[in-house]
Amino acid sequence: NAGVMQNPRHLVRRRGQEARLRCSPMKGHSHVYWYRQLPEEGLKFMVYLQKENIIDESGMPKERFSAEFPKEGPSILRIQQVVRGDSAAYFCASSPSWDLNTEAFFGQGTRLTVV
Amino acid sequence: AQKVTQAQTEISVVEKEDVTLDCVYETRDTTYYLFWYKQPPSGELVFLIRRNSFDEQNEISGRYSWNFQKSTSSFNFTITASQVVDSAVYFCALSEANNQGGKLIFGQGTELSVKP
């Protein structure tokens, strides 16, 4: 049973380009969470999605950031017109349900560097 | 408001020493979960433990042990006889009942350095 898969592991973008980060949840998991870890900081919640729905995007920056989790395929975190401050590690977690008793499993992260 | 505080930014010990990483949390919920994760230099997040708010029993797993005290809102993590491979950043996290199960609030992390 493969874990949460994120790709790419490392991504370099020039300022102004778009970044697309992919997350394939564990088999049977329909709930996905995205977190951002800025350098020297802890992880901060960004968005929670179920298949085809955004449930909680309270942690998403208001501009340039969007997320989706289509019926088929991985969840995508999209950052438009990247700036240096977007450089961070982006982690995805998945869980089988929203119940508090379930545990979220994290992927290995995508390290975005904006040059 | 919910919050997790790891007051120790960095800790350095010599191999075989015991070390305790502190975690203090704030929440208004009576039902919540507490977690510890390890982030080694390779960068991935490794799950260590999850504890629910109704279970105050201490937990031991090999060289790792956890002390949960609701009276002081603390969930401290002790590594006994530390090893170089324990060097990592350790995060404490909180999940509240009124949040979705995977929405965690993380502390700032404690960077542990174990020297040979």
Side-chain angles (χ1 to χ4, degrees):
Chain A
N1 186 14
V4 179
M5 304 299 292
Q6 290 188 248
N7 68 80
R9 292 290 308 278
H10 301 275
L11 182 62
V12 179
R13 285 287 178 267
R14 295 187 184 280
R15 279 178 295 172
Q17 291 184 321
E18 178 180 288
R20 281 182 172 244
L21 288 62
R22 293 175 186 76
C23 169
S24 296
M26 287 182 70
K27 188 176 180 181
H29 288 193
S30 58
H31 301 250
V32 164
Y33 307 80
W34 285 94
Y35 289 79
R36 177 166 67 173
Q37 183 180 25
L38 293 169
E40 311 297 327
E41 293 189 14
L43 282 77
K44 295 285 195 301
F45 168 80
M46 298 181 75
V47 62
Y48 162 41
L49 310 102
Q50 292 179 30
K51 286 282 187 181
E52 301 183 278
N53 289 303
I54 296 174
I55 306 303
D56 181 350
E57 56 181 348
S58 57
M60 286 280 268
K62 295 285 184 260
E63 297 177 347
R64 302 187 297 107
F65 284 71
S66 63
E68 63 176 10
F69 189 16
K71 188 176 180 181
E72 301 291 337
S75 175
I76 306 286
L77 179 68
R78 183 182 176 207
I79 311 171
Q80 295 178 292
Q81 299 175 326
V82 296
V83 301
R84 288 241 171 94
D86 297 333
S87 295
Y90 292 83
F91 287 91
C92 166
S94 74
S95 66
S97 79
W98 58 267
D99 191 301
L100 189 62
N101 285 319
T102 63
E103 174 192 333
F105 296 84
F106 281 87
Q108 292 191 303
T110 293
R111 274 146 190 85
L112 172 65
T113 302
V114 179
V115 296
Chain B
Q2 58 273 23
K3 186 180 178 182
V4 176
T5 301
Q6 294 179 255
Q8 304 149 307
T9 306
E10 297 178 13
I11 299 177
S12 183
V13 299
V14 177
E15 210 170 15
K16 297 184 183 174
E17 285 185 18
D18 298 348
V19 58
T20 296
L21 283 60
D22 297 333
C23 174
V24 174
Y25 61 92
E26 295 176 29
T27 177
R28 292 184 184 150
D29 278 13
T30 56
T31 304
Y32 52 89
Y33 278 81
L34 295 163
F35 301 77
W36 277 94
Y37 285 87
K38 174 182 179 180
Q39 188 174 43
S42 50
E44 72 273 22
L45 277 173
V46 178
F47 168 81
L48 296 178
I49 190 171
R50 177 183 58 168
R51 170 69 68 204
N52 77 55
S53 52
F54 298 107
D55 182 1
E56 286 194 72
Q57 280 194 340
N58 290 333
E59 174 122 358
I60 297 175
S61 176
R63 295 184 297 107
Y64 295 169
S65 62
W66 290 270
N67 183 355
F68 177 29
Q69 294 200 342
K70 288 178 79 169
S71 60
T72 56
S73 297
S74 65
F75 186 44
N76 296 338
F77 172 34
T78 297
I79 302 174
T80 303
S82 59
Q83 300 176 2
V84 173
V85 293
D86 295 328
S87 297
V89 180
Y90 291 85
F91 291 100
C92 180
L94 164 72
S95 181
E96 295 179 316
N98 63 353
N99 285 336
Q100 309 303 335
K103 184 177 179 179
L104 302 178
I105 299 144
F106 283 83
Q108 291 293 89
T110 296
E111 183 172 5
L112 174 64
S113 176
V114 181
K115 301 190 186 308

